[in-house]
Amino acid sequence: MDVHVQIEGRGDRSDRIYRQVRDVIRGGLLRHGERLPASRDLAAQLSVSRTTVTVAYERLTAEGYLVSRVGAGTFVAAPSARPSSTRARDARSAARPLPRWQSIHDPLWTEPLPIAYDFSMGSPDAALFPLESWRRLVAAELRGGIRRSAHYQDPAGLERLRVALARHLGVARSVDASADDIVITSGAQQAFDLIGRVLLEPGDVVAVEDPGYPPVRQLFESQGVRVAPVPVDDSGLRVDELPADARLVYVTPSHQFPLGSVLSLERRSALLEWASSHDAVVVEDDYDSEYRFADRPLDPLQSLDSEGRVVYVGTFSKTMLPALRLGFLVAPTSLIPALRSAKRLTDWHNDTVAQAAMARFVDTGGFARHVRQATKTYAARQRSIIEQAEALLGDTLRVVPSVAGLHLCLVPVDSGRAFDDDRVAADAAASGVAVQPLGRFGALMPRASGLILGFGAIAPEDVPDGLRLLSRAIARSAHEPSGG
C-alpha cells in the first residue's frame, strides 16, 4: 500500500519516515499483513537515497512494527490498534454547525440491537428483489452501454428512464407527465431537498401532516424554514387547519404516513382550492401506493391539478431496494429548469448504470410484473398480521384500517387509558422484537400513541412468536409504574 510521507523541512529524514510510518501503524490505518512500498520505490517517490528509507525500515523492523520477507517485501507486523487521529474531535473544536442542527437527530435510526423479529417499517423484503433479472440488466448495460454513460449526464436523469417512467406512471397511477417533467433523484428524500432549495426562503412556512414523516419535517427545518404541523383524521389532512401563510404543503394522500388513511376526494379538491387561493405549492409524496390491497385508488393530486401547483414524488425504495437510491419527482414545467440546476449542483446526477437498468426493467414490463407478484405476497402477509394482531393484542390495541403499503398502525382500544409506546418499544427491543412507537412521529400535543408494525422485513413464520413477545412487553408496561 502507498504511504504518504512528508519530509520537507529540517531534521533527520530517516527519523521522519520512521515516525510517520509508525504513527499510521499505531493508528490502525496500516493493518497487520499489509505490504509497504519497496525501499527503492519509496526512495524514488520522496527523492531521497535508498539508504535513508532503509534505515527507517530497519528501525521499524527492530521495534516489531515491520517484518521483512526475502523475495516478498516488507509487511506490517504489529497488530492494528484502534483507528485514531491527532485532529481535535472534542467539544472544544473551533468549527460549529448552525444552531438549528443541534436539535436535529434521526428518530428512525438507533444503534441496532440483536433483532430476531423485525417489524421495522419501510423495508421491503429483500428476498422478493428480482435479483437474477437485475443482474442481467446491469450486466447488459456494462457490456454495451458503459462507454455511452461514462461521461457526465443530464442532471434530470437518463432520458430512457424518464420516458419509460412517464409511460408507467400514466398507465399505473394516472399521473399526467412527459419525460421532460421528470427529474430522477437519489430517493424521495433528495426530491424533497431539491424542492425546498428552489421554492423556500429561510423563515417561510411549510405545513406537514401530524403525525407524519420526521425526515421531511427535519429536512425543511434544516433549510431554515418554519414547519407547521397540521392534524390528520380518518379522511387525511385537515385542510381547514392549514396555516394561511404556508408556502408549501407536504402531504401523503394515497396512504397517509404513518396512520394509513386515504385523503378523501373532497379533501383533495379542498386542498387544491386552498393552494390556489393562498398561492402555495403542494408536494404529493406517493411513497408506497404501488402496493395496494383493496379499493380502487383515487386519482393523484397531480392529475387533478389544473394550475401547476403539485409536485409529485415517488421512489423505487419500497418496490425495489432502498440501496439503489432511485427516486423521482414530477414537477410543473415552470419548476423544471430550477430543479435540474439544483440537482446538478447537489450531486450532478445518479448512477447511470442503475438508471439504464431500471429503464430496461420498466420498459420491458419486468417492473410491473415484479410489483404485481410482490403485491400478492404483501397482501397475504398483511392479512395474516391483522388476524394475529387482533387475536394477540386486540384487548389493548386495535389495527387502523389500511389498504396499501408495508406497515400497519395500532392504536389503543381505550383512548382514555395511558399507553407508553416508547417503553413498550424499548422493552420489546430487549426481547428481540423491533417495533416503532407512534408517538415519535407527532409534534402536536398531546401526541398520538400506539405502535407501527412493518411487515416487509419479517418472515411470515416469525410473526406469531414476534407478536407474542410484543404482547408480553405490552402487559409488562401496563403493570409497571410510569416512573419505573
Side-chain angles (χ1 to χ4, degrees):
M1 178 178 287
D2 290 337
V3 180
H4 176 78
V5 177
Q6 175 59 257
I7 62 171
E8 298 301 324
R10 298 179 179 178
D12 185 336
R13 291 182 172 182
S14 288
D15 184 67
R16 290 188 178 207
I17 295 171
Y18 157 79
R19 292 181 182 280
Q20 291 178 62
V21 174
R22 181 201 61 185
D23 288 347
V24 294
I25 293 174
R26 283 180 172 177
L29 301 178
L30 281 177
R31 296 174 297 199
H32 176 66
E34 288 191 308
R35 188 178 187 274
L36 269 69
S39 57
R40 180 183 290 105
D41 295 338
L42 185 57
Q45 176 187 326
L46 300 176
S47 299
V48 298
S49 71
R50 185 180 179 186
T51 301
T52 300
V53 176
T54 301
V55 168
Y57 276 14
E58 289 175 348
R59 185 176 174 187
L60 290 162
T61 301
E63 294 181 9
Y65 290 104
L66 300 181
V67 60
S68 180
R69 300 173 189 164
V70 177
T74 303
F75 300 84
V76 177
S80 297
R82 290 184 61 188
S84 62
S85 172
T86 57
R87 294 182 62 186
R89 295 191 181 278
D90 59 25
R92 294 171 295 176
S93 300
R96 291 285 188 273
L98 292 171
R100 58 177 173 264
W101 285 97
Q102 302 291 343
S103 61
I104 294 177
H105 63 282
D106 190 346
L108 304 184
W109 175 258
T110 57
E111 190 66 27
L113 295 171
I115 291 297
Y117 306 97
D118 190 359
F119 291 104
S120 60
M121 62 173 188
S123 298
D125 188 344
L128 299 181
F129 181 73
L131 181 59
E132 291 305 317
S133 296
W134 188 253
R135 180 184 288 128
R136 288 194 298 270
L137 292 166
V138 170
E141 180 59 28
L142 288 172
R143 285 194 304 269
I146 190 63
R147 291 186 179 180
R148 293 194 306 272
S149 58
H151 305 289
Y152 290 110
Q153 302 290 321
D154 186 342
L158 291 187
E159 185 177 17
R160 281 184 288 162
L161 178 55
R162 291 185 284 116
V163 169
L165 192 52
R167 188 166 67 89
H168 170 77
L169 291 173
V171 172
R173 292 293 292 121
S174 297
V175 171
D176 182 13
S178 70
D180 292 337
D181 302 321
I182 296 175
V183 175
I184 305 299
T185 63
S186 297
Q189 192 71 6
Q190 188 187 44
F192 306 135
D193 180 66
L194 298 179
I195 292 165
R197 287 171 183 264
V198 305
L199 284 176
L200 301 173
E201 297 279 4
D204 282 348
V205 176
V206 172
V208 300
E209 298 167 323
D210 192 279
Y213 187 51
V216 166
R217 181 174 67 243
Q218 293 181 325
L219 170 65
F220 290 133
E221 288 173 345
S222 76
Q223 294 178 337
V225 306
R226 190 159 55 89
V227 175
V230 178
V232 298
D233 58 23
D234 291 343
S235 296
L237 181 77
R238 289 285 304 274
V239 178
D240 59 317
E241 296 203 27
L242 285 170
D245 54 350
R247 175 82 176 90
L248 184 148
V249 180
Y250 167 83
V251 64
T252 53
S254 297
H255 185 224
Q256 200 281 326
F257 183 90
L259 296 178
S261 60
V262 176
L263 189 66
S264 67
L265 182 58
E266 180 182 1
R267 293 271 180 92
R268 292 173 190 239
S269 299
L271 177 57
L272 292 174
E273 290 174 5
W274 185 95
S276 176
S277 61
H278 291 78
D279 192 25
V281 171
V282 176
V283 176
E284 177 177 16
D285 182 3
D286 198 10
Y287 63 99
D288 69 356
S289 68
E290 291 92 348
Y291 297 134
R292 195 160 196 87
F293 313 130
D295 299 337
R296 182 183 180 278
L298 295 173
D299 287 339
L301 288 167
Q302 192 270 352
S303 67
L304 301 173
D305 174 28
S306 61
E307 295 186 3
R309 294 187 176 277
V310 175
V311 182
Y312 178 93
V313 175
T315 179
F316 291 107
S317 292
K318 306 297 185 292
T319 51
M320 297 291 281
L321 286 177
L324 294 182
R325 305 313 306 139
L326 278 176
F328 57 89
L329 61 83
V330 180
T333 304
S334 56
L335 295 181
I336 289 295
L339 288 166
R340 287 166 57 98
S341 295
K343 172 66 175 174
R344 178 178 60 83
L345 294 175
T346 302
D347 64 356
W348 202 294
H349 58 73
N350 290 60
D351 173 13
T352 53
V353 173
Q355 288 187 71
M358 183 60 73
R360 290 184 188 223
F361 197 44
V362 173
D363 210 31
T364 57
F367 178 70
R369 287 191 297 273
H370 164 65
V371 170
R372 284 196 299 270
Q373 293 166 0
T375 298
K376 292 178 182 178
T377 299
Y378 289 134
R381 201 174 295 182
Q382 190 209 51
R383 288 193 300 270
S384 173
I385 287 186
I386 290 175
E387 291 170 1
Q388 295 178 70
E390 289 175 344
L392 293 168
L393 310 176
D395 291 342
T396 308
L397 299 173
R398 66 175 179 87
V399 178
V400 177
S402 178
V403 298
L406 296 177
H407 73 269
L408 291 164
C409 194
L410 283 70
V411 297
V413 172
D414 183 356
S415 59
R417 185 176 178 181
F419 181 80
D420 191 339
D421 51 11
D422 272 316
R423 173 183 291 177
V424 170
D427 194 335
S431 301
V433 180
V435 296
Q436 286 169 305
L438 176 60
R440 294 185 186 178
F441 296 83
L444 295 171
M445 302 301 289
R447 294 181 180 178
S449 65
L451 299 174
I452 301 173
L453 294 184
F455 50 87
I458 190 166
E461 61 269 21
D462 289 337
V463 170
D465 288 341
L467 290 180
R468 274 190 283 271
L469 288 171
L470 178 59
S471 69
R472 293 170 191 167
I474 293 172
R476 285 192 294 271
S477 174
H479 291 93
E480 290 176 1
S482 59

